[in-house]
Every structure is written in C-alpha cells, then in structure tokens.
Amino acid sequence: MTTALDVEGQLKLVIFDCDGVLVDSERASCQATAEFARSLGLAISDEAAHDRFAGKALPQIVEELETELGHALPENTAFKMRDNLVRIMKKMAEPVEGAPEMMQKIRSLGMPFRVGSNSSITEMEVKFERAGMADFFPENRVHSANDMDEPKPSPEVYLYAAKREGVLPENCVVIEDSDTGAEAARRAGMSCVLLRSEDLPLPPFWPAPGFVRITHLSQLVPLLSDVVESQNQA
C-alpha cells in the first residue's frame, strides 16, 4: 500500500534513475555481464548476476570480478563492456511499463526533472533513443555517476543534479529501483520513491524518513501531485 510522500523542504526537482525506472535494460545488462564473467571462467548465472550487479557502475563490477578472479583485468575492460552494452541496448532497450505516459504527466505537472544514473552518458543516449524517450531528456539534464567517477551509492551524482538545478537536496525527490541508488539518495539527504514490487525485499535501512515504495509508475504522479497541492495550500 502506497503512503504519502514526505519531502523535508519544498519539492522543486525530481531526479530519475535510468535503468529499471525509465528504461527496462537492467536484466539484459546483467545477462551480458554474466556472459562476460563466464568467459573469464567464473560460474555466475544470469540470475546471480542480476542480484549482484543491478544498479552498479561498470568499474564497480570490474573490481568485483577482479576480486573473485584474484588478479587484475586489462585496464580497458570497463570500456569494452560498455561498448558491448551499447550494442545490446541498440536492439533490446525498451521503456519501463508506463514510463512514457508518466513522463508526459510529469511534464504537464510543470515539475523540473533530471536523470542521475550509474550508466554512462553514451549508454543513456542509446537507451533513451531506443526506448523512444530521448525528447524528454536533453543531454544537459542527464548526469552520469560513472562519468563523474563517483558511482552510487556515492550521493555525488544526485547532489550534482541538484546543484545544476540550483536547489537544495531537501528540495529533491529521487525515483529509484535499486538498493544502491536508494542508499545514494539517503546519503544525499533527499526524499526517495522506490519502484519495487511487493514480493521483493526492501533496502536494509528501510524504513527511512522521506522514503516510500510504489509498485508501478502509474502511482508516482498522484504522489507528486499531492505534495505540490499541499505546498500550494500552505
């Protein structure tokens, strides 16, 4: 059951994660990572890869693989993995169910929005184009934790998005689906809406002030509308 969203300050910015929130690419990405891991001789199933690597930036994944292997991989490994993912996403990336309709309503609401993702800018450009959502996300409103070398759970990509918008962290709400991203929002001092089905566990730190779960994107705009209406009446 969805509860009301509690934003510490006046809501002035919505920051979306990309994978699993806007674009359905997480499982395909993790499957490609699993195939790469198996090519190195590691016994990692597609399902295990999703549980281990969902929401993580490629350099983080490379570090984990190196630890398991017990030796370093070539310096360009993360770049090769990214190029492979870009090729996959050109064929497989699709919008998360309800994402285009939700974005139209967010736009009609007049609420500024940005993207903060562990994916690279190059990856996101391909994903948004393939998913038919590129018009919503001009490059100057899309920010990459990977390209900043500050992957989540570091809060830096979200703090940077807020700074670019000229608002304080307490004026922001983050839309996330992963524990890693939700932790980044918590460290940033921002409210968070977690998109997650009821049969999946919540992050270890849950419950937390300003955090609420939804199970479908159709629930997001009513939550935000209630906050805006409450602010207008105050």
Side-chain angles (χ1 to χ4, degrees):
M1 181 176 178
T2 303
T3 57
L5 175 63
D6 181 21
V7 180
E8 182 179 343
Q10 186 177 30
L11 180 58
K12 296 181 179 180
L13 178 65
V14 180
I15 309 175
F16 290 97
D17 177 42
C18 174
D19 304 293
V21 172
L22 298 170
V23 181
D24 186 4
S25 57
E26 199 82 79
R27 192 160 296 276
S29 297
C30 291
Q31 181 179 336
T33 301
E35 291 173 356
F36 175 71
R38 290 193 290 267
S39 75
L40 300 173
L42 298 175
I44 299 179
S45 67
D46 292 355
E47 190 61 35
H50 185 267
D51 293 340
R52 282 183 57 178
F53 303 132
K56 294 182 178 178
L58 288 177
Q60 291 172 302
I61 294 172
V62 171
E63 285 184 10
E64 288 195 26
L65 295 178
E66 288 176 332
T67 298
E68 192 160 341
L69 286 166
H71 62 79
L73 292 168
E75 290 185 6
N76 64 346
T77 297
F79 293 103
K80 286 188 174 182
M81 291 176 68
R82 184 199 66 190
D83 290 344
N84 184 49
L85 287 176
V86 167
R87 286 194 292 270
I88 292 172
M89 291 307 146
K90 284 181 178 179
K91 299 178 181 179
M92 297 183 64
E94 299 292 341
V96 168
E97 182 182 354
E101 296 82 1
M102 178 272 295
M103 289 307 308
Q104 289 284 7
K105 292 177 181 178
I106 291 286
R107 181 180 278 174
S108 298
L109 193 62
M111 179 63 61
F113 53 85
R114 292 178 179 266
V115 175
S117 172
N118 266 348
S119 292
S120 68
I121 294 294
T122 300
E123 290 174 77
M124 285 190 279
E125 286 177 348
V126 170
K127 291 170 184 176
F128 289 141
E129 186 66 34
R130 165 69 186 178
M133 300 176 68
D135 289 346
F136 289 114
F137 306 112
E139 185 176 349
N140 65 343
R141 303 192 73 80
V142 177
H143 314 295
S144 166
N146 179 78
D147 293 356
M148 292 171 62
D149 199 27
E150 288 282 357
K152 304 172 193 176
S154 166
E156 290 305 315
V157 70
Y158 289 146
L159 294 173
Y160 180 73
K163 183 177 180 180
R164 287 290 301 271
E165 190 66 30
V167 301
L168 297 173
E170 55 263 36
N171 300 134
C172 303
V173 61
V174 171
I175 318 302
E176 265 289 354
D177 70 311
S178 72
D179 286 11
T180 303
E183 173 64 17
R186 188 171 75 95
R187 294 184 187 182
M190 299 178 178
S191 299
C192 180
V193 176
L194 184 71
L195 176 63
R196 184 167 296 182
S197 62
E198 291 183 354
D199 60 326
L200 295 177
L202 292 166
F205 61 80
W206 204 277
F211 279 58
V212 64
R213 172 169 62 179
I214 61 174
T215 58
H216 192 275
L217 283 177
S218 61
Q219 299 169 283
L220 178 60
V221 173
L223 272 181
L224 300 181
S225 296
D226 287 346
V227 174
V228 172
E229 182 178 352
S230 176
Q231 290 176 171
N232 290 338
Q233 293 176 351

